Amino acid sequence: MLFIPMLGKEKALNKGKGEKMKFSNLGKETPILDGLEKVTGRARYVPDLKVEGMLHGRILRSPYPHARLKKVDISKAERISGVRDIITGKKVSQHKFGPMVPDWVILPDDKVRFHGDEVAAVAATSEESAAEALSLIEVEYEVLPAVFDPELAMAEEAPLLYEEKENNIATTFYVHKGDVDKALAGSEIVFEETYQTNQVYQAYMETMAAVAAPGDYERLTMWLSTQIPSMSRLRYAEALEICAEDLRIIKPHVGGGFGAKFEYKAHILAAVLARRTGSPVRMVNNREEDFRAGNPRVPMKIWIKLGLAKDGTLLAKDTRIIAGNGARTVYAPAITSTACYRIDSLYKFKNVRSTGYTVYTNTIPTSCFRGFGNAQMHFAMESALDTICHQYNLDPIKIRQQNGVTPGFTSIHGWEIKSCALKECLDKAVEESNWYDKKKEPAEKSPVKKGIGVAICNHVSGNRPFFKPFDGSSALVRLTPEGKAIVFTGEADIGQGMNTAFALIAAEAVGLDVKNVRTAAVDTDISPFGLGSFATRGTTIGGRAVYEAAVNLKKQLLEHLARVYEKKIEQITINEGQIYFDDQEDPITVAKAIQTISYTLGGTSLVGHGVFVPETVLPDENKYGNVSPAYPFGCHIAEVEVDTETGRARLLNYWAVHDVGRVINKQTLEGQVEGGVMMGAGWALGEDMVVKEGKLLNPNFHDYCLPTAMDTPRGRIYSYFLESGDPNGPFGAKGIGEPSLNPVPAAIANAVFDAVGVRVKNLPITPEKILEGLASA
Amino acid sequence: MSGSNNAQAGQMAISFKLNAKEYNLTISANERLLDLIRNRLGLIGTKEGCGGGECGACTIIMNGQAVNSCIIPAARADGAEILTVEGLSGGMENELHPLQKTFLEKGAIQCGYCTPGMLLSAKALLDQNEGKEISRELIKEGISGNICRCTGYQKIVDAIYTYARERKGIE
């Protein structure tokens, strides 16, 4: 029975901030429910899977950034013992597909477009045979002129990656609301600057991985390390030219993703090889190829012009962004458009204009990375505001309080800010960090200088235009005759603790003890459809569907309790796994009752079904329309020390305050914030994919420097959560994944400026740039 | 190279103790200790993160030292005493080493991929500093060869610090 939730019913439940609500399961520090298998090493990830008869797949990648494939000779490679199949562009369909722009083929038969592009794929009985076969494939390349810088790629004389794409522009985004020119002309303060954000790598510890196995009924099962089981099923069916129903996707434990684990060529190649050989095929990237052909962050050059009144009121924002798409389109166009206009719902802008070009270059295709373009723009906007405050003697806290959005505000793009504790986030961060006292401290006499910087952030909790057909989620909660509840969702826990959040939501809504609730691994043959882990949507949209399913289950449970125990529904209360009847002293356990009920129903489980479809819309041609059911906000304050002799900046303390709507699990929220802050700090202070003539020079963890425990603040990362009680989120909850990172690079850049007066406008903030800045001061 | 052709020439017999159990195996000269543990012994808790000794996901304890098993030839295991995550609890199926328990309770785990290696680096560090006061700084240094991309390390350091103090009887 399909349960269609009543939208708005939630409003009565969420009393909003200020009113204390009593919860049995929420707001506590609950260790993740799948922690035992992780801590014992028993948790299985895709690279741990073994299927009988499994072949090992490997991919031959281009050693040139742009080259015509004159000849691909596999005759010697085919003779290697153990080689079962080798595919090249000539052997596979050349139909085009892709997540946003149909510029993907299974394997190209004409040319390769980046250093690392897929040329051929091998399936063999051992890793060794597959590797040997790769080394024997003879490819004749005709090297073509290549272009690496997005701005140069737009020039008339630049070589084209795709003949039909003029000036190498994949997509252009344009938005204009109000009258920017007029507002700028009337501004007492006009500020203009260019910022650059570099290309960085998600560096999840488990590389991209797939096992594809042909099954019964001519179907194919794929075990994927993915953030989007349901969506990738649709896309891979399109790539393989089969019906999506003939694909079964299973997502076991996933070793991190951070935006990278979306549609991926190696998954498709594993599927093609499995179908051709009739055998299971394992395809796991080694770390170098994961670096060379992953889905790194979209690099951006951001020109920004801001107009303000003398008192700091923001009057106009004009931006122009050139974003690197890489050699084929993953999600960069959506990331560019996000950078163009999502921040317009952080401040009460009335006049905004933005143009964003997503440009092809002969480099690694770029895609989602925690923050999705909004992080890039936060670096520009929040750095710019800091500089303006410095130049015009304005208070960086007050300017944000003065211009920041407030509850009930509808932005110039039609985004409806229902819950919002942005102002309170600023207040809390200022208080906890002793901001004003620290600002008054005199400069250190030693060569090591301290500094403090602030940045605020917004984000979405679901993004309607990401998947054109719809946004929403569905869930099932099954109560077994043994009294255990299992949550089935298509939303993908990739290590954030979402499955635990879902279990807590279900336990709270039904009245169960969370120890008796678990969330099943995603299996598209069983789990309902879930778009997946992106847009900070899991807790809000996926969690709301789980909530609706749990409410539906509780309704059924109450009806059956009334029937079996001959009571009226109003006489029954369920709490923490106990059932209370108002005319009876002692409660009975849910486990006992459900067994009794189940025996009257042929042994069945009770299954609650829930659907959540947010009342969001696809933005119209003017980019107007509310895209998300809820918007999270936050304020970060970074305290750094900068050694003026070495140029090295490092974190001293960090305060992160977030409006999360409602705390579902305090422990995993803190985990998200601490992880997001360190990921942002790594980006701000050193991570960089160094590319020369299209070749990545540092495709390993020795040369690509990720933060280690030694890079954590000398003091601590302090996190605080404010509960604004959103009307759409389950129990009022909004997301945390991406907002935890968005303001980090700017907060650190502003703190570095405060420490030594050096403004770094192009990430990362390296010792060289700081020393250079100090020398030219 | 073709494994089957030179199989005889490249093989050697080794014996070692792993998780308190004796093993006598014939290995090939180019076999990595990580592959021996994962593929031949089926102990999947030891993860491959980089294959270059740079991330610590494959950390095991060998003769009391935390080492990266992805850059150690299996031949080096001859005569060695090895501990992997599967042996951390002392072989009891449903029991946990106090470090595992603290990691779990303190939220030091997210995706879990770095967890086994992190636990073994922590154990080696604590064993080597038996009886000594352990500072947060020492812990940070001790696990600096283990990359965790999810947690930002704070809860991992907290967990190790908590256990180190509990072990010394400090609350």
Side-chain angles (χ1 to χ4, degrees):
Chain A
M1 187 180 65
L2 188 71
F3 176 68
I4 303 296
M6 299 283 289
L7 294 175
K9 194 175 104 182
E10 193 72 20
K11 279 172 189 156
L13 194 85
N14 291 321
K15 292 175 184 150
K17 67 180 179 199
E19 285 183 56
K20 285 265 174 261
M21 294 173 72
K22 253 193 95 181
F23 297 113
S24 305
N25 295 284
L26 309 185
K28 298 182 175 148
E29 295 191 25
T30 308
I32 50 170
L33 300 176
D34 55 357
L36 185 69
E37 44 269 42
K38 288 175 179 174
V39 86
T40 52
R42 292 199 290 263
R44 280 180 195 270
Y45 302 78
V46 175
D48 302 324
L49 303 178
K50 283 201 171 69
V51 184
E52 195 57 40
M54 186 170 80
L55 302 174
H56 298 265
R58 288 292 302 271
I59 295 167
L60 182 70
R61 298 182 180 280
S62 168
Y64 300 105
H66 201 187
R68 198 166 300 288
L69 291 167
K70 303 260 290 185
K71 196 174 164 199
V72 183
D73 182 357
I74 59 168
S75 56
K76 280 184 192 149
E78 275 180 322
R79 287 201 289 271
I80 297 301
S81 151
V83 169
R84 286 278 303 278
D85 194 18
I86 302 178
I87 51 171
T88 64
K90 294 265 182 264
K91 287 189 168 190
V92 295
S93 161
Q94 286 297 307
H95 76 284
K96 290 185 163 44
F97 56 93
M100 292 201 74
V101 175
D103 55 12
W104 292 38
V105 286
I106 292 169
L107 284 171
D109 70 348
D110 54 350
K111 60 180 193 172
V112 283
R113 294 177 173 87
F114 72 101
H115 191 285
D117 204 352
E118 297 81 1
V119 175
V122 177
T125 49
S126 71
E127 291 264 11
E128 291 75 18
S129 298
E132 195 179 358
L134 279 196
S135 72
L136 291 173
I137 297 173
E138 293 171 339
V139 187
E140 207 180 303
Y141 295 99
E142 180 195 332
V143 178
L144 299 170
V147 63
F148 313 110
D149 179 275
E151 212 168 353
L152 296 178
M154 291 167 77
E156 285 305 323
E157 64 279 11
L160 291 179
L161 272 82
Y162 298 86
E163 291 306 320
E164 68 280 13
K165 296 285 182 183
E166 224 174 293
N167 301 112
N168 286 311
I169 296 171
T171 55
T172 304
F173 180 90
Y174 177 77
V175 65
H176 189 184
K177 302 273 168 60
D179 189 336
V180 167
D181 292 322
K182 197 175 152 201
L184 281 171
S187 296
E188 287 151 309
I189 298 170
V190 176
F191 175 85
E192 189 177 342
E193 192 51 270
T194 304
Y195 298 89
Q196 263 177 293
T197 60
N198 60 327
Q199 187 162 314
V200 284
Y201 170 56
Q202 293 87 347
Y204 32 81
M205 294 320 291
E206 177 208 22
T207 56
M208 302 276 199
V211 173
D216 295 344
Y217 302 104
E218 295 178 70
R219 298 176 82 228
L220 186 75
T221 301
M222 296 179 80
W223 288 266
L224 299 179
S225 178
T226 182
Q227 304 180 208
I228 50 160
S230 305
M231 229 163 73
S232 59
R233 176 168 162 265
L234 300 180
R235 213 81 75 182
Y236 295 166
E238 192 188 326
L240 300 169
E241 299 175 281
I242 60 173
C243 171
E245 213 291 305
D246 291 334
L247 259 185
R248 174 185 185 187
I249 310 281
I250 300 173
K251 181 207 71 70
H253 289 286
V254 172
F258 314 110
K261 290 179 177 172
F262 278 74
E263 292 89 343
Y264 194 58
K265 200 63 113 42
H267 295 175
I268 300 167
L269 292 171
V272 171
L273 288 167
R275 280 163 53 85
R276 285 170 56 99
T277 59
S279 297
V281 173
R282 174 189 199 260
M283 193 77 88
V284 179
N285 272 0
N286 63 39
R287 186 56 73 178
E288 185 184 332
E289 64 185 338
D290 209 86
F291 261 104
R292 285 174 60 193
N295 286 321
R297 189 182 287 280
V298 178
M300 291 186 189
K301 186 170 183 180
I302 303 170
W303 170 85
I304 185 168
K305 193 171 187 179
L306 292 169
L308 298 88
K310 204 162 53 186
D311 70 351
T313 304
L314 281 166
L315 301 175
K317 169 179 154 277
D318 201 5
T319 51
R320 186 169 179 270
I321 298 170
I322 297 174
N325 190 37
R328 65 173 170 256
T329 311
V330 193
Y331 284 99
I335 292 160
T336 308
S337 62
T338 295
C340 281
Y341 87 137
R342 187 172 290 178
I343 209 162
D344 299 347
S345 299
L346 175 61
Y347 293 108
K348 291 181 173 176
F349 282 110
K350 292 191 182 75
N351 305 284
V352 292
R353 180 170 55 201
S354 198
T355 311
Y357 302 98
T358 310
V359 185
Y360 287 113
T361 57
N362 294 106
T363 60
I364 312 168
T366 60
S367 190
C368 319
F369 188 162
R370 204 176 198 170
F372 200 72
N374 205 24
Q376 285 91 322
M377 182 50 88
H378 271 67
F379 174 66
M381 179 71 200
E382 293 298 278
S383 293
L385 268 190
D386 201 66
T387 304
I388 291 167
C389 288
H390 182 75
Q391 285 179 0
Y392 296 92
N393 201 25
L394 294 165
D395 183 326
I397 303 295
K398 287 193 185 123
I399 198 170
R400 288 175 168 91
Q401 280 175 331
Q402 178 183 346
N403 291 289
V405 297
T406 45
F409 180 77
T410 297
S411 85
I412 194 151
H413 303 301
W415 296 21
E416 295 160 17
I417 313 299
K418 295 182 180 83
S419 63
C420 173
L422 178 58
K423 192 183 173 302
E424 292 83 349
C425 286
L426 271 151
D427 291 341
K428 181 80 176 163
V430 163
E431 182 196 328
E432 295 292 341
S433 65
N434 281 319
W435 170 268
Y436 285 106
D437 290 344
K438 288 209 167 87
K439 287 298 268 188
K440 275 184 231 144
E441 278 173 18
E444 292 74 14
K445 292 216 168 62
S446 79
V448 180
K449 313 287 184 197
K450 280 189 194 175
I452 191 162
V454 64
I456 59 171
C457 72
N458 74 333
H459 211 70
V460 292
S461 290
N463 182 22
R464 178 63 190 86
F466 191 90
F467 181 67
K468 290 283 177 296
F470 65 88
D471 196 2
S473 191
S474 53
L476 304 172
V477 182
R478 187 167 94 198
L479 186 59
T480 71
E482 297 75 28
K484 303 269 186 184
I486 309 161
V487 177
F488 294 91
T489 170
E491 307 297 347
D493 190 329
I494 53 168
Q496 327 92 311
M498 226 157 73
N499 281 351
T500 302
F502 291 158
L504 287 165
I505 290 166
E508 189 68 39
V510 180
L512 302 173
D513 183 337
V514 73
K515 285 193 191 73
N516 292 320
V517 187
R518 66 181 166 91
T519 302
V522 178
D523 175 344
T524 58
D525 268 12
I526 299 163
S527 313
F529 193 98
L531 284 173
S533 268
F534 56 87
T536 304
R537 61 187 290 288
T539 303
T540 311
I541 296 183
R544 174 69 187 270
V546 171
Y547 170 82
E548 298 298 345
V551 167
N552 176 242
L553 170 67
K554 185 172 187 175
K555 184 171 172 279
Q556 295 178 44
L557 181 59
L558 286 169
E559 283 165 8
H560 288 295
L561 284 167
R563 172 178 63 84
V564 172
Y565 292 92
E566 294 175 353
K567 311 277 180 195
K568 285 187 180 130
I569 285 173
E570 309 79 65
Q571 288 181 277
I572 312 168
T573 312
I574 311 172
N575 192 27
E576 291 181 62
Q578 302 285 328
I579 295 164
Y580 302 86
F581 300 113
D582 68 353
D583 57 353
Q584 217 169 289
E585 184 103 344
D586 296 324
I588 56 168
T589 63
V590 169
K592 175 87 186 72
I594 183 67
Q595 191 184 59
T596 309
I597 291 168
S598 167
Y599 289 177
T600 71
L601 297 168
T604 193
S605 299
L606 294 185
V607 182
H609 186 190
V611 175
F612 177 57
V613 180
E615 288 175 324
T616 50
V617 293
L618 268 181
D620 64 18
E621 65 275 19
N622 297 317
K623 280 75 178 182
Y624 190 91
N626 188 36
V627 298
S628 180
Y631 299 92
F633 298 93
C635 175
H636 283 198
I637 288 178
E639 186 182 19
V640 302
E641 60 179 24
V642 183
D643 187 328
T644 53
E645 286 171 351
T646 64
R648 185 164 181 245
R650 64 160 302 164
L651 293 176
L652 272 181
N653 283 294
Y654 203 98
W655 294 267
V657 186
H658 287 272
D659 166 15
V660 295
R662 183 80 59 212
V663 177
I664 302 291
N665 185 357
K666 186 156 177 279
Q667 189 175 81
T668 49
L669 268 176
E670 284 175 357
Q672 283 295 297
V673 170
E674 290 162 14
V677 168
M678 281 316 296
M679 191 169 264
W683 180 22
L685 294 174
E687 284 179 46
D688 194 21
M689 296 178 83
V690 183
V691 178
K692 196 177 174 192
E693 295 294 301
K695 188 182 176 187
L696 182 63
L697 299 183
N698 55 345
N700 58 69
F701 292 146
H702 183 263
D703 300 311
Y704 183 91
C705 294
L706 291 166
T708 73
M710 302 279 276
D711 300 301
T712 56
R714 270 199 221 291
R716 266 192 99 72
I717 299 166
Y718 300 95
S719 39
Y720 306 91
F721 303 106
L722 303 183
E723 299 189 305
S724 59
D726 193 87
N728 284 321
F731 299 103
K734 304 190 275 191
I736 189 66
E738 294 170 279
S740 68
L741 182 140
N742 285 346
V744 180
I748 292 174
N750 295 344
V752 167
F753 178 80
D754 185 52
V756 292
V758 175
R759 172 61 61 185
V760 179
K761 290 170 284 197
N762 54 337
L763 291 175
I765 307 166
T766 58
E768 292 78 17
K769 288 176 196 168
I770 290 177
L771 289 177
E772 206 176 294
L774 285 168
S776 64
Chain B
M1 82 140 199
S2 169
S4 55
N5 293 345
N6 329 310
Q8 282 308 109
Q11 291 197 335
M12 66 181 286
I14 59 166
S15 44
F16 57 93
K17 203 171 177 184
L18 189 140
N19 299 342
K21 216 178 141 191
E22 300 281 353
Y23 289 88
N24 296 294
L25 291 174
T26 303
I27 56 147
S28 59
N30 57 6
E31 193 168 339
R32 303 183 302 171
L33 185 50
L34 173 65
D35 295 327
L36 184 153
I37 292 168
R38 284 181 59 86
N39 301 339
R40 296 241 252 151
L41 305 184
L43 299 173
I44 55 146
T46 307
K47 301 296 182 199
E48 176 157 7
C50 71
E54 291 152 359
C55 77
C58 65
T59 304
I60 57 165
I61 296 178
M62 188 159 137
N63 299 328
Q65 298 286 327
V67 294
N68 291 314
S69 62
C70 74
I71 49 167
I72 292 180
R76 284 258 309 276
D78 196 25
E81 197 165 321
I82 294 168
L83 183 74
T84 71
V85 69
E86 290 87 354
L88 199 50
S89 65
M92 298 299 290
E93 184 71 8
N94 289 315
E95 283 200 10
L96 295 178
H97 184 278
L99 261 177
Q100 289 173 306
K101 202 163 168 280
T102 318
F103 264 54
L104 190 49
E105 284 167 1
K106 293 275 172 193
I109 319 157
Q110 284 188 32
C111 84
Y113 213 76
C114 77
T115 307
M118 199 64 91
L119 283 164
L120 290 162
S121 283
K123 183 177 190 311
L125 174 79
L126 296 177
D127 288 351
Q128 283 157 15
N129 291 280
E130 185 83 56
K132 291 185 205 153
E133 186 85 22
I134 293 190
S135 67
R136 284 177 181 275
E137 282 60 43
L138 188 72
I139 294 169
K140 287 181 184 180
E141 207 181 310
I143 61 163
S144 63
N146 294 75
I147 295 169
C148 168
R149 200 55 167 157
C150 297
T151 66
Y153 304 103
Q154 186 155 288
K155 292 198 186 304
I156 294 174
V157 175
D158 286 352
I160 300 169
Y161 187 69
T162 305
Y163 170 60
R165 288 173 70 84
E166 274 170 9
R167 202 177 60 151
K168 279 206 76 197
I170 311 165
E171 265 311 307

